[in-house]
Structures are given as structure tokens and as C-alpha cells.
Amino acid sequence: MLSLHRTRALLASGAALLMLIMAALACTANDTLFIRLTDTPPPTLTPTPLPIITKFRVGDSGVIVGLSEFATVSLPANAGPLVPGIGGATCFPNTRVTVLDVSRNINDPNDEMIYYLVQCSGRGWVAEYQFSRFNRGDKAVVKTADGGDVKLYRQPNVNAATLDQPCPNGTEVSVTGVTANPSDPRDRNIYLQVRCGTLSGWLLEEHLAPLG
């Protein structure tokens, strides 16, 4: 039989060995038993701005342009052309809305059109050629890149007949109508009907500038 002294020595050695094993496990298996970990917040994704100057920026307001004064304009749910059956919202023509975001076509990198996210019946994207700076009742000034006078069309169509007299550059005008070309949906011009002195006709939006 083991002596009492030897038994005590074995028990002490076993206890010491057990403490060494527990210490090793604590250091290598799970440091969280002793160290409180701090959660690392996820990185914030910053939107990358488009490397171009766009007609509108976030926070600007614009006017929805349609082919008819009464037919609603369907806006796609994603930045790009409207896909039948996948609309994001509808807007009435001549509705002024605020730009919430700006994007190119998310599915076609070759599409150079700019799209603006707006809120109407819901959120949807409007193409730049359907989005005007002006609405009926606004005042504007005729302003051309070359300083020349502007011809007035009898109809909202660049192929329509023109009035006999142009509207002089620098003339203050009243906007009485805003529309796209109802006879050709492929025409991406925005047409504004204006009163220029005693004349009344249609011109391209690009030939008008806001007052001031």
C-alpha cells in the first residue's frame, strides 16, 4: 500500500497538472472567457457620385413630361428604360417633384441617358428627356449658345412648320405648355409652348433659361 506521504504527493502533483491544463485551455481555446470583445461596426458605404455634371442634382425639382396632358407617365422601378409590367410608380404630366437620387442605367453601361429617382404614386426613375426645368406659368428667358434668335414651331415637333417670325434671344417669355412630341415617342426633345410678345409657339427646352 502506498504510504500516506506518497499519496499526498501524488494528489498535489495531479492538482498542479490539472491547473496547468486548464490554464493552457483558457489561453488557446477561447480567449473570450476572460476578454470582453468589442463589436466592430460595419463599414458605411458612401455612394459614388457620377463623374459628370447632370441637368439635375439631388434636392433639385423638376417637372414630369408626358406625351399627353392627361395620360399618366409610368416610371420604372430601376434606373433604366421602362420594362413592360415592371413599373415602379406613375406620375401625372406637369407634376413637379424632387430629385432623390441620380444614376445611369444600372443594366446597360452603354446607355448614356441619365435617370432621376423621384416620388409620385411611389418611387420610380424618370429619364432626363422626360424631366423639364419648367412648368406652365413659369417665366423664363430665351437663351441660345450662339446668341441667335429662336424659331417657334407651330406644333411640338422639330419637323413642323415654323412661325414667320422668331423669338429674339434674351426675350422674357411665359411658359404656357410642356410636352414631349406626341407624334413620335422616339423624339427625345422637350417642347415648351411660350408667349413671346405677340407670338405664341413651341420651342426646345434647351433654348430657355430660368430668370435671374
Side-chain angles (χ1 to χ4, degrees), residues 5 14 20 24-25 33 41 44 46 51 61 64 71 77 81 87 103 123 139 155 157 169 190 195 202 212:
H5 177 75
L20 288 173
L25 290 173
L33 292 173
T44 301
T46 303
S61 67
I64 300 295
S103 176
R123 288 194 174 193
K139 300 290 186 181
Q155 300 294 332
N157 188 333
N169 186 62
I190 295 176
R195 189 172 299 281
W202 296 87

Side-chain angles (χ1 to χ4, degrees), residues 58-75:
V58 174
D60 290 345
S61 67
V63 177
I64 300 295
V65 179
L67 297 173
S68 166
E69 185 177 353
F70 306 102
T72 58
V73 178
S74 296
L75 307 181

Side-chain angles (χ1 to χ4, degrees), residues 13 24 37 114 136 143 158 164 172 181:
S13 299
L37 298 179
I114 302 298
R136 289 175 300 185
K143 186 176 182 180
V158 291
D164 294 336
E172 182 178 323
N181 185 341

Side-chain angles (χ1 to χ4, degrees), residues 48-203:
T48 301
L50 293 177
I52 57 174
I53 298 176
T54 55
K55 180 178 176 180
F56 296 96
R57 294 180 293 182
V58 174
D60 290 345
S61 67
V63 177
I64 300 295
V65 179
L67 297 173
S68 166
E69 185 177 353
F70 306 102
T72 58
V73 178
S74 296
L75 307 181
N78 299 308
L82 181 68
V83 177
I86 313 181
T90 57
C91 275
F92 284 103
N94 306 113
T95 300
R96 185 171 287 278
V97 292
T98 300
V99 175
L100 305 175
D101 201 356
V102 184
S103 176
R104 285 195 183 276
N105 189 329
I106 61 173
N107 296 314
D108 183 3
N110 295 319
D111 182 2
E112 297 183 354
M113 182 57 59
I114 302 298
Y115 298 87
Y116 301 96
L117 181 64
V118 299
Q119 175 76 40
C120 283
S121 63
R123 288 194 174 193
W125 293 85
V126 57
E128 190 166 86
Y129 67 89
Q130 296 174 295
F131 207 35
S132 176
R133 295 186 179 92
F134 305 96
N135 204 354
R136 289 175 300 185
D138 288 348
K139 300 290 186 181
V141 61
V142 175
K143 186 176 182 180
T144 59
D146 60 2
D149 298 341
V150 174
K151 55 185 176 182
L152 297 174
Y153 299 98
R154 297 183 183 273
Q155 300 294 332
N157 188 333
V158 291
N159 296 316
T162 60
L163 301 183
D164 294 336
Q165 298 179 15
C167 188
N169 186 62
T171 302
E172 182 178 323
V173 298
S174 299
V175 178
T176 57
V178 183
T179 187
N181 185 341
S183 61
D184 186 1
R186 297 170 299 176
D187 184 352
R188 294 191 168 185
N189 290 305
I190 295 176
Y191 296 88
L192 301 178
Q193 188 177 37
V194 299
R195 189 172 299 281
C196 175
T198 59
L199 303 174
S200 179
W202 296 87
L203 49 68

